[in-house]
């Protein structure tokens, strides 16, 4: 009996030890401003309006400075124990995957199922973007480099870290050397802010955004009452009960839409005696289950990375 | 008798001098443990992962103040950070302290005392520029003490790794 008890204790502690928070992915990209200034853009038509977007592939294929800068930042971050996702490799994987999907047919002649949403989401993704901008300033024979590195949360749009500055004027002609110097001098400051962001996340929970929508053909909306409570209030109360210290902001509430920002969710939860690391999808999945089990409301859950999830009420 | 007397006098003088020197050193060490120094950025060549700083240490003896510069430089990079340098021809961005927990010195007292003892592990992370000899004008008499400025290179990346290994700070990927 004692042996069984000890084994249970051992297994529980092992589970607790191995449950680790989901690690955010970070990717370095050139800023839109840098891409436009250097001519690495493409124009696309979005519902009749032509929009200029950065062409990362062209930038990486043509700018040695950029490739070197990204490689240097990746090297420095790996040295700090946080390897980054590489933009060039991500773009290559997306191309390979698209080619593979196009050629794939099953034995019965079926093709890979893909909704318009799946197509839309086939882009290089990261949880934190490290957005890089640099400009070479010329003053007579001397040059200096203005440098800006921003760490942006892909879901909350917050700048979580940053380092910027202009180097001293020098006769150095190679841009690569100026860029390397700038990265070496600024990366520590950037990392100390990134560390502070992670520390805050471990203390106060992961910050996410939750969107609630309704299908237009379900015959009710968020103002419908269930057991004497409006559906929007039921959802809001569930969020209040399940956030870290009840931290969240209700930004928008209409009969069809709800937007919750600065929602602080725990990094891990206990489920069936096991500790699980959770993200926005899993957390909003708990809300979906709550609505189904208590009010017989079905809903469709959609995710966007670790920090954004959407629940469409009414049907799957 | 006179020979014996001379030997005794000689031994006593040597003992007195030695005790004076060790007293000076002890006073200087005491001053170090209260961390009386100033740290500022400086320019020059340093290897990747190192930072160049100028440390102003205080002591009754010029020599002792100079040798304390290494300890002070490492302590400064760890706990104080270094301000930015914004001059026309030299720019160095601000260096935040490696250890940001304000209670770390108290919490890890035992480790840090061992780390900063004379010829302790801190020596691994220090490299004296110009052999630790202060530049002209960098020895200033301030009341009964000397203020001595020495340029030192501190291997900050290696130092950070040591602190991570000792559990004083976390690595960027820790907890994931």
């Amino acid at each position: 009996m004692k042996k069984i008890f000890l084994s249970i204790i051992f297994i529980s502690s092992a589970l607790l030890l191995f449950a680790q928070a989901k690690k955010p992915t970070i990717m370095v990209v050139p800023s839109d401003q840098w891409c436009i200034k250097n001519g690495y853009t493409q124009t696309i038509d979005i519902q009749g309006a032509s929009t200029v977007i950065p062409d990362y592939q062209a930038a990486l294929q043509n700018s040695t400075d950029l490739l070197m800068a990204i490689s240097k930042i990746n090297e420095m971050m790996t040295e700090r124990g946080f390897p980054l996702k590489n933009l060039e490799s991500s773009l290559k994987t997306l191309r390979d995957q698209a080619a593979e999907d196009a050629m794939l047919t099953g034995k019965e002649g079926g093709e890979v199922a893909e909704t318009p949403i799946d197509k839309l989401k086939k882009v290089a993704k990261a949880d934190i973007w490290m957005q890089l901008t640099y400009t070479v300033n010329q003053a007579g024979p001397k040059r200096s480099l203005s440098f800006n590195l921003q760490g942006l949360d892909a879901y909350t749009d917050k700048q979580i870290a940053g380092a910027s500055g202009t180097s001293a004027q020098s006769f150095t002609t190679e841009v690569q050397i100026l860029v390397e110097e700038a990265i070496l001098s600024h990366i520590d400051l950037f990392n100390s802010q990134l560390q502070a962001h992670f520390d805050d996340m471990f203390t106060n929970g992961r910050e996410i955004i939750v969107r609630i929508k309704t299908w237009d053909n379900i015959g009710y909306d968020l103002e419908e009452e269930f057991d004497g409570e409006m559906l929007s209030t039921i959802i809001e109360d569930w969020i209040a009960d399940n956030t870290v210290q009840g931290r969240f902001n209700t930004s928008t509430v209409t009969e069809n839409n709800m937007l919750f920002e600065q929602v602080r969710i725990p990094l891990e939860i206990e489920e069936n005696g096991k500790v699980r690391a959770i993200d926005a999808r899993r957390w909003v999945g708990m809300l979906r289950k709550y609505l189904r089990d208590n009010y017989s409301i079905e809903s469709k859950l959609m995710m966007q990375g670790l920090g954004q999830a959407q629940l469409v009420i009414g049907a799957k | 008798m006179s020979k014996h007397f001379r030997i005794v006098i000689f031994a006593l003088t040597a003992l007195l001098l030695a005790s004076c020197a060790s007293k000076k050193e002890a006073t200087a060490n005491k001053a170090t443990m209260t961390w009386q120094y100033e740290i500022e950025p400086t320019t020059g060549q340093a290897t990747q992962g190192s930072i160049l700083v100028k440390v102003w240490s205080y002591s009754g003896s010029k020599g002792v103040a100079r040798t304390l510069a290494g300890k002070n430089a490492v302590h400064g990079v760890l706990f104080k950070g270094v301000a930015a340098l914004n001059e026309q021809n030299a720019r160095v961005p601000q260096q935040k302290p490696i250890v940001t927990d304000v209670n770390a010195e108290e919490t890890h007292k035992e480790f840090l005392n061992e780390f900063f003892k004379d010829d302790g592990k801190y020596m691994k992370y220090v490299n004296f520029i110009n052999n630790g000899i202060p530049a002209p004008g960098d020895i200033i008499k301030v009341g009964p003490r000397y203020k001595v400025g020495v340029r030192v290179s501190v291997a900050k990346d290696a130092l950070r790794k040591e602190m991570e290994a000792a559990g004083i700070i976390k690595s960027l990927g820790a907890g994931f």
Side-chain angles (χ1 to χ4, degrees):
Chain A
M1 186 67 191
K2 198 178 166 190
K3 251 185 182 173
I4 295 169
F5 180 69
L6 282 174
S7 311
I8 291 169
I9 294 279
F10 175 75
I11 292 165
S12 319
S13 0
L15 278 172
L16 278 172
L17 276 175
F18 291 115
Q20 288 187 309
K22 290 200 173 180
K23 190 175 185 175
T25 52
I26 305 184
M27 198 191 287
V28 187
V29 289
S31 70
D32 288 12
Q33 192 266 354
W34 185 93
C35 289
I36 291 167
K37 201 172 175 187
N38 291 282
Y40 302 120
T41 55
Q42 49 183 325
T43 308
I44 56 162
D45 190 80
I46 301 176
Q47 293 178 334
S50 65
T51 312
V52 177
I53 59 161
D55 187 347
Y56 293 150
Q57 199 166 312
L60 289 165
Q61 283 169 348
N62 296 295
S63 171
T64 324
D65 311 338
L66 176 71
L67 200 63
M68 199 277 313
I70 292 178
S71 157
K72 194 75 201 168
I73 295 174
N74 285 353
E75 178 196 320
M76 300 297 293
M77 295 298 284
T78 305
E79 194 264 330
R80 287 292 302 264
F82 205 106
L84 305 185
K85 214 168 151 182
N86 187 30
L87 175 62
E88 198 179 14
S89 317
S90 295
L91 293 173
K92 214 175 265 178
T93 307
L94 279 173
R95 279 202 307 273
D96 293 350
Q97 199 62 52
E100 204 176 296
D101 285 351
M103 301 301 288
L104 206 63
T105 42
K107 279 182 181 168
E108 307 290 324
E111 290 181 0
V112 176
E114 195 173 51
T115 65
I117 288 285
D118 292 335
K119 278 184 185 154
L120 196 69
K121 290 196 169 183
K122 273 186 170 179
V123 287
K125 279 193 278 263
D127 301 311
I128 296 169
W129 297 108
M130 277 173 87
Q131 193 170 273
L132 175 71
T133 314
Y134 57 86
T135 321
V136 179
N137 314 306
Q138 193 87 38
K142 288 186 171 182
R143 287 173 133 189
S144 68
L145 187 106
S146 295
F147 174 87
N148 188 11
L149 187 64
Q150 292 171 291
L152 305 166
D153 187 302
Y155 315 114
T156 61
D157 301 328
K158 284 186 179 172
Q159 177 166 327
I160 51 170
S164 58
T166 300
S167 67
Q169 291 182 350
S170 78
F171 290 103
T172 308
T173 48
E174 291 97 337
V175 180
Q176 284 101 323
I177 292 178
L178 290 172
V179 173
E180 188 175 348
E181 273 177 8
I183 292 168
L184 287 174
S185 358
H186 288 93
I187 199 84
D188 274 352
L189 186 63
F190 182 89
N191 277 339
S192 64
Q193 292 177 29
L194 193 61
Q195 181 72 66
H197 169 72
F198 290 152
D199 288 346
D200 172 67
M201 193 168 90
F202 284 118
T203 316
N204 300 313
R206 192 190 298 279
E207 189 175 325
I208 65 160
I209 285 185
V210 179
R211 286 193 174 85
I212 310 287
K213 292 178 179 172
T214 50
W215 295 114
D216 62 359
N217 55 356
I218 56 169
Y220 63 87
D221 55 27
L222 296 169
E223 287 176 352
E224 183 81 11
E225 288 199 4
F226 289 84
D227 297 342
E229 277 289 4
M230 270 205 310
L231 181 54
S232 56
T233 314
I234 293 170
I235 293 171
E236 200 170 8
D237 286 349
W238 185 91
I239 288 180
D241 292 343
N242 289 278
T243 38
V244 178
Q245 295 168 1
R247 289 181 186 188
F248 71 100
N249 274 2
T250 311
S251 304
T252 310
V253 181
T254 66
E255 67 263 41
N256 297 315
N257 256 306
M258 291 179 92
L259 171 65
F260 297 99
E261 290 179 304
Q262 304 193 66
V263 181
R264 292 289 194 146
I265 62 165
L267 296 178
E268 50 197 37
I269 49 154
E270 206 182 312
E271 218 175 47
N272 304 327
K274 288 177 182 169
V275 178
R276 303 261 191 227
I278 59 163
D279 55 10
R281 184 187 64 87
R282 203 164 176 126
W283 191 76
V284 177
M286 285 157 53
L287 170 62
R288 188 187 66 81
K289 218 169 156 189
Y290 172 77
L291 293 175
R292 189 194 61 196
D293 296 349
N294 293 282
Y295 302 97
S296 306
I297 297 173
E298 284 293 351
S299 44
K300 184 176 179 65
L301 173 63
M302 286 180 262
M303 71 172 287
Q304 195 190 337
L306 293 178
Q308 228 175 81
Q310 180 169 286
L311 197 65
V312 188
I313 306 275
K316 274 204 171 181
Chain B
M1 179 66 189
S2 120
K3 197 181 173 187
H4 283 170
F5 181 70
R6 261 187 274 161
I7 290 168
V8 170
I9 292 289
F10 178 74
L12 279 175
T13 319
L15 208 69
L16 198 70
L17 283 173
S19 81
C20 273
S22 65
K23 197 180 168 193
K24 267 183 185 170
E25 202 142 315
T27 318
N29 270 336
K30 205 176 159 191
T32 306
M33 283 308 147
T34 53
W35 304 112
Q36 295 170 10
Y37 65 89
E38 288 150 32
I39 188 165
E40 60 185 50
T42 183
T43 53
Q45 297 286 326
T47 52
Q48 189 175 318
S50 297
I51 180 173
L52 272 184
V53 291
K54 189 174 192 177
V55 188
W56 294 91
S57 307
Y58 294 86
S59 173
S61 152
K62 297 176 215 172
V64 175
R66 206 160 57 210
T67 52
L68 292 179
K71 265 184 204 183
N72 290 338
V74 172
H75 185 270
V77 172
L78 278 178
F79 298 102
K80 280 193 178 179
V82 186
L85 181 69
N86 278 316
E87 285 174 8
Q88 177 75 26
N89 295 314
R91 290 204 182 142
V92 181
Q94 162 201 15
Q95 175 77 38
K96 287 209 170 186
I98 291 176
V99 182
T100 45
D101 176 10
V102 284
N103 300 317
E105 278 185 275
E106 203 47 49
T107 322
H108 303 278
K109 203 172 180 178
E110 207 172 305
F111 171 84
L112 292 169
N113 281 344
E114 185 66 22
F115 185 78
F116 281 115
K117 72 177 186 192
D118 288 344
D119 297 326
K121 232 177 167 182
Y122 80 92
M123 289 289 283
K124 269 172 63 183
Y125 306 102
V126 176
N127 190 20
F128 289 97
I129 310 296
N130 195 25
N131 254 344
I133 300 165
D138 282 350
I139 301 179
I140 305 161
K141 186 100 169 97
V142 185
R145 298 190 300 171
Y146 287 97
K147 178 182 174 182
V148 180
V150 174
R151 292 175 78 225
V152 179
S153 154
V154 179
K156 63 177 169 67
D157 284 3
L159 191 58
R160 191 182 50 239
K161 282 208 176 344
E162 170 90 44
M163 294 300 123
E164 282 174 9
I168 297 174
I169 56 165
K170 286 189 294 182
S171 81
L172 206 54
F176 294 113

